């Protein structure tokens, strides 16, 4: 046993060494992030202008459809005023995106909800560790992820609205699509922050989960995005099917507009969010890695490579040893005969030893 002061000092020294190792590993990860390619400010500016143009064109398309259905009469003498409102909406979405992204950089715990959901789904089993990879930053990535984000927002809005879109005629279908667009805009900031940026940051942080039950290794962000994409797609397909049955075969194309109405403007707004996110992406990823390392004490491949390697190999070896059949070297009866003949074996050994020549050296 040791004195209390000495033990406390020893624990503090061990903790200091561990924190020092984690600090050095975070510096290494941050340096690697800074060395990766990123979008230029010119590309981001052109992207924001392009998303504003998409917002204007898609919103005018929605207004034209509403005007055709006699739901919202568009005053063509106020075209300039309507267009100005759309541009202001694009600027407002950009400002909201800046606020959200800056908040994530400073307080990464605000997008911790997806990780809590993952830990709950795994019932607290398994282990997490950090193994980040260079993030992918390109225009194709922005467009692809913006489309995914807009579909995700529409799917969550459909979940909130529930069966309120079960209508009977074309006018009600378009009205339901309008309600869907409003609901999507209302839930947009929280949805984008928690279920769009959150899993994306966790994915780029390289947070992996080692599941001891099914002996699997997977990226937590990928798992979360797959689950969210699945449920959003199921919601959209379910609503399309129900609306098709409700409207009937006379206008099978109308249910498509329930999804098309919000997707156009939402795609441009989510694109604004994504371009702003690209500006702060490296800082946000580094902040998330530091949060995971300090808050949850997650080991990483720089400071704890041997531990991570041993844990991953242990699962494979356990599976191998549980299923490995050890063959019998000798049958039981052979072992019994050898035991019976043991005195003869000893005598022969003694005879051989007597016949050996003496060492005269």
């Amino acid at each position: 046993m040791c004195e209390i002061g000495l033990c406390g000092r020893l624990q503090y020294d061990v903790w200091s060494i561990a924190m020092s190792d984690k600090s050095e590993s975070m510096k290494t990860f941050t340096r690697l992030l800074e060395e990766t390619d990123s979008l230029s400010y010119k590309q981001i500016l052109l992207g924001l202008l392009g998303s504003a143009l998409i917002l204007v064109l898609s919103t005018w398309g929605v207004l034209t459809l509403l005007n055709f259905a006699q739901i919202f009469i568009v005053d063509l003498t106020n075209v300039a005023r309507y267009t100005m409102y759309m541009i202001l909406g694009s600027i407002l979405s950009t400002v909201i995106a800046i606020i959200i992204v800056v908040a994530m950089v400073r307080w990464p715990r605000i997008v911790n909800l997806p990780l809590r959901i993952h830990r709950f789904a795994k019932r607290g089993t398994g282990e997490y560790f950090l193994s980040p990879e260079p993030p992918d930053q390109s225009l194709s990535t922005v467009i692809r992820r913006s489309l995914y984000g807009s579909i995700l927002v529409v799917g969550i809005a459909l979940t909130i609205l529930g069966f309120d879109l079960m209508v009977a005629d074309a006018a009600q279908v378009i009205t339901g699509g309008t309600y869907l667009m409003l609901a999507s805009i209302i839930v947009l900031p929280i949805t984008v922050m928690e279920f769009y940026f959150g899993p994306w940051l966790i994915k780029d942080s390289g947070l992996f989960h080692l599941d001891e039950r099914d002996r699997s290794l997977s990226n937590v962000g990928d798992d979360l995005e797959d689950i969210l994409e699945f449920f959003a797609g199921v919601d959209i397909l379910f609503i399309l099917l129900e609306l098709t049955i409700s409207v009937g075969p006379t206008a099978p194309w109308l249910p498509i507009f329930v999804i098309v109405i919000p997707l156009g403007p939402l795609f441009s707004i989510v694109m604004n969010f994504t371009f702003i996110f690209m500006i702060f992406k490296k800082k946000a990823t580094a902040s998330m890695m530091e949060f995971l390392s300090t808050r949850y004490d997650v080991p990483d491949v720089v400071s704890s490579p041997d531990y991570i390697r041993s844990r991953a190999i242990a699962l494979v070896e356990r599976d191998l040893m549980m299923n490995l059949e050890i063959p019998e070297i000798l049958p039981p009866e052979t072992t019994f005969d050898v035991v019976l003949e043991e005195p003869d074996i000893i005598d022969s050994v003694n005879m051989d030893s007597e016949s050996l020549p003496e060492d005269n050296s």
Side-chain angles (χ1 to χ4, degrees):
M1 296 180 64
C2 62
E3 297 181 359
I4 297 177
L6 182 59
C7 291
R9 179 63 181 176
L10 180 60
Q11 293 175 358
Y12 176 78
D13 291 341
V14 172
W15 180 83
S16 300
I17 294 173
M19 290 298 102
S20 178
D21 292 340
K22 287 182 176 294
S23 178
E24 291 299 324
S25 63
M26 289 301 108
K27 290 180 181 179
T28 302
F29 292 146
T30 303
R31 186 177 67 255
L32 293 176
L33 284 174
E34 293 298 331
E35 293 176 355
T36 57
D37 296 331
S38 59
L39 293 177
S40 64
Y41 287 105
K42 181 180 179 180
Q43 290 176 317
I44 293 175
L45 180 59
L46 292 176
L48 292 175
L49 294 176
S51 65
L53 180 61
I54 294 174
L55 179 62
V56 171
L57 295 178
S58 60
T59 306
W60 270 116
V62 172
L63 292 178
T64 302
L65 180 63
L66 296 177
N67 186 49
F68 176 77
Q70 299 296 311
I71 296 176
F72 180 80
I73 306 302
V74 179
D75 187 3
L76 298 179
T77 60
N78 294 322
V79 172
R81 182 161 59 91
Y82 292 155
T83 304
M84 184 60 64
Y85 289 157
M86 300 172 194
I87 295 176
L88 290 176
S90 180
I91 296 174
L92 179 62
S93 66
T94 304
V95 174
I96 295 175
I98 294 174
I99 295 174
I100 290 177
V101 174
V102 171
M104 288 192 307
V105 172
R106 188 165 184 177
W107 303 290
R109 63 177 178 274
I110 64 176
V111 291
N112 192 30
L113 179 60
L115 181 56
R116 292 179 178 271
I117 294 175
H118 187 272
R119 294 178 65 192
F120 176 79
K122 293 296 183 179
R123 296 177 177 86
T125 60
E127 294 184 64
Y128 295 90
F129 64 87
L130 289 173
S131 179
E133 298 179 358
D136 182 17
Q137 297 197 44
S138 61
L139 290 176
S140 61
T141 301
V142 173
I143 295 174
R144 174 174 52 84
R145 294 199 64 91
S146 298
L147 181 60
Y148 156 75
S150 57
I151 294 175
L152 178 65
V153 173
V154 171
I156 293 177
L158 284 172
T159 304
I160 295 175
L161 290 177
F163 293 92
D164 292 340
L165 296 179
M166 302 298 104
V167 292
D169 53 31
Q172 290 180 343
V173 167
I174 299 176
T175 303
T178 305
Y179 290 152
L180 176 60
M181 181 174 62
L182 294 176
S184 300
I185 293 175
I186 292 173
V187 302
L188 178 67
I190 300 298
T191 302
V192 169
M193 183 173 64
E194 294 293 343
F195 301 111
Y196 181 57
F197 287 148
W200 193 357
L201 277 179
I202 294 174
K203 175 183 177 180
D204 285 352
S205 298
L207 182 65
F208 284 83
H209 180 257
L210 193 65
D211 198 325
E212 297 176 351
R213 290 179 300 176
D214 56 7
R215 292 181 291 274
S216 64
L217 177 66
S218 61
N219 187 294
V220 177
D222 279 334
D223 290 345
L224 291 170
E225 288 186 345
D226 290 342
I227 294 173
L228 292 171
E229 188 175 2
F230 172 77
F231 281 106
V234 168
D235 283 337
I236 292 175
L237 291 177
F238 177 75
I239 292 297
L240 285 177
L241 179 62
E242 291 292 335
L243 287 177
T244 301
I245 296 174
S246 179
V247 174
T250 56
W253 54 272
L254 282 175
I256 302 297
F257 284 98
V258 175
I259 310 301
V260 172
I261 285 176
L263 266 185
L266 276 178
F267 174 70
S268 62
I269 294 175
V270 175
M271 187 180 292
N272 278 356
F273 277 72
T274 307
F275 274 114
I276 297 300
F277 179 68
M278 285 296 179
I279 300 176
F280 301 92
K281 189 171 185 293
K282 294 179 181 180
K283 293 183 179 179
T285 304
S287 181
M288 175 59 72
M289 285 190 295
E290 185 177 359
F291 169 73
L292 293 173
S293 178
T294 56
R295 173 64 175 83
Y296 294 104
D297 197 22
V298 178
D300 58 80
V301 294
V302 174
S303 63
S304 307
D306 295 333
Y307 173 76
I308 295 173
R309 189 180 299 110
S310 64
R311 294 300 299 156
I313 295 177
L315 293 182
V316 179
E317 289 180 344
R318 186 184 67 177
D319 184 41
L320 179 63
M321 296 305 295
M322 290 175 62
N323 297 296
L324 183 63
E325 295 182 0
I326 303 176
E328 295 182 357
I329 300 176
L330 293 174
E333 59 272 10
T334 305
T335 305
F336 182 72
D337 293 339
V338 171
V339 173
L340 287 179
E341 296 176 357
E342 185 176 359
D344 296 334
I345 295 175
I346 296 174
D347 292 338
S348 62
V349 171
N350 293 332
M351 291 175 60
D352 293 339
S353 61
E354 293 176 357
S355 61
L356 292 175
E358 295 182 359
D359 188 1
N360 297 324
S361 58

